[in-house]
Amino acid sequence: MCLIDTHTHIYDNQFSLDRNETVQRALDAGVKMMLLPNVDASTIAPMLELHEQCPDCTRVMMGLQPEEVKEDYKEVLSTMEKELECGIYVGVGEVGLDFYWDVTYEKPQLDAFETQLDWAKQLHLPLSIHCRNAFDKMVKILEKKQDGNLRGIMHCFTGTEEEAKVYLELGFHLGLGGVTTYKNCGVKDYLPNLPLDRIVLETDAPYLSPVPCRGKRNEPAFLVYTAHRIAEIFQMPLEDLATATTTNVNALFRF
Ligand SMILES: [Zn+2]
């Protein structure tokens, strides 16, 4: 079996004591590839270090996560833009909008997001997009920017069927993670109505562990639980779901 974790932060210091073992457990579980989205200026070095240690099973993305957009965001973005020139990055992420905790940096978030959407277009790279409490503004920006050249993943998608369809119509894939395994998550009710060729899997480790590991530190090996649940929802064998979602990632990222 071959699964791809399209969004994992295992360079985070929550893995400093067992990072190598974490990677090994992922490989043993069938998670053969892990895509690493950046968060802020401080995460670039540890992310690249992990990629150097595990060049075969990791790929790196570059971007400024919306919750980390602060006063200095323009400087941070210029560092990241230079970093993207080296050509090792397979995507722009994680980027997006997050107005869950506060809206102090709403304007800078919108500006940073638009800038990073432009990078993705210029470099022909897919995006890993984070969106929380910002659906209307997100759609407005994506509609404005979509000229046929934007593609990517709505990471940790947990919205309604209508929201899912809006993103699909805009040309995006849906990244499903541990939340999909939670009892109160509505995605399972309409998931079989969605095109399987637009679904990809992720952990968002160390966050949002799937059932039966909910509450624990998440890690890529746990992707199997999410995959198992989604295979159940689509009423198909796990192997087939793994093949389908891996094919989707390979096509989207042009691996
Ligand atoms: Zn993330």
Side-chain angles (χ1 to χ4, degrees):
M1 185 172 69
C2 174
L3 289 164
I4 299 180
D5 186 348
T6 61
H7 193 112
T8 182
H9 301 280
I10 50 168
Y11 53 78
D12 187 275
N13 56 25
Q14 287 196 43
F15 295 95
S16 52
L17 296 178
D18 66 344
R19 191 168 291 108
N20 294 339
E21 293 85 347
T22 300
V23 170
Q24 194 54 52
R25 282 193 296 273
L27 296 173
D28 293 346
V31 182
K32 305 295 189 200
M33 174 69 70
M34 288 156 268
L35 309 189
L36 311 175
N38 188 52
V39 175
D40 61 22
S42 77
T43 54
I44 300 173
M47 181 180 74
L48 291 178
E49 192 184 328
L50 173 60
H51 179 54
E52 258 167 49
Q53 284 164 7
C54 309
D56 296 333
C57 65
T58 63
R59 295 289 180 272
V60 285
M61 295 190 241
M62 182 48 59
L64 177 58
Q65 207 265 11
E67 290 167 285
E68 303 305 327
V69 173
K70 306 285 175 218
E71 275 100 5
D72 65 345
Y73 79 98
K74 288 202 173 168
E75 287 161 57
V76 176
L77 287 180
S78 91
T79 306
M80 291 180 174
E81 192 176 13
K82 281 193 201 90
E83 186 60 36
L84 270 165
E85 285 169 14
C86 78
I88 62 164
Y89 296 97
V90 301
V92 174
E94 86 180 76
V95 300
L97 302 173
D98 191 322
F99 303 129
Y100 185 74
W101 295 108
D102 76 291
V103 291
T104 314
Y105 293 102
E106 178 171 335
K107 275 216 173 88
Q109 276 197 36
L110 293 165
D111 185 40
F113 185 44
E114 291 207 22
T115 299
Q116 295 178 95
L117 290 175
D118 290 337
W119 295 350
K121 282 205 230 183
Q122 284 154 15
L123 298 166
H124 306 284
L125 290 174
L127 291 140
S128 183
I129 298 179
H130 169 119
C131 178
R132 190 160 56 157
N133 278 32
F135 177 76
D136 293 341
K137 289 192 173 75
M138 172 62 63
V139 170
K140 215 171 141 196
I141 293 186
L142 293 179
E143 278 174 345
K144 182 174 86 175
K145 292 280 181 185
Q146 182 57 285
D147 57 358
N149 291 307
L150 280 181
R151 66 188 203 280
I153 299 168
M154 300 312 301
H155 131 72
C156 193
F157 180 78
T158 58
T160 64
E161 183 169 12
E162 289 67 32
E163 289 169 348
K165 286 182 172 160
V166 170
Y167 288 139
L168 293 172
E169 262 166 45
L170 275 162
F172 287 86
H173 287 60
L174 303 178
L176 301 184
V179 177
T180 320
T181 68
Y182 301 170
K183 258 205 181 103
N184 61 355
C185 177
V187 173
K188 61 182 176 302
D189 302 328
Y190 63 80
L191 192 54
N193 306 334
L194 301 185
L196 180 58
D197 65 356
R198 305 287 286 283
I199 304 293
V200 299
L201 306 178
E202 64 168 57
T203 57
D204 201 17
Y207 315 106
L208 301 169
S209 269
V211 173
C213 308
R214 190 172 179 177
K216 284 198 231 167
R217 182 191 70 174
N218 199 1
E219 62 172 75
F222 297 169
L223 190 66
V224 175
Y225 297 117
T226 302
H228 193 268
R229 181 73 189 106
I230 292 173
E232 248 174 32
I233 295 168
F234 274 106
Q235 297 184 301
M236 65 194 295
L238 177 60
E239 285 280 344
D240 293 356
L241 180 90
T243 304
T245 52
T246 294
T247 303
N248 296 345
V249 179
N250 289 335
L252 179 61
F253 285 85
R254 300 177 184 159
F255 289 155

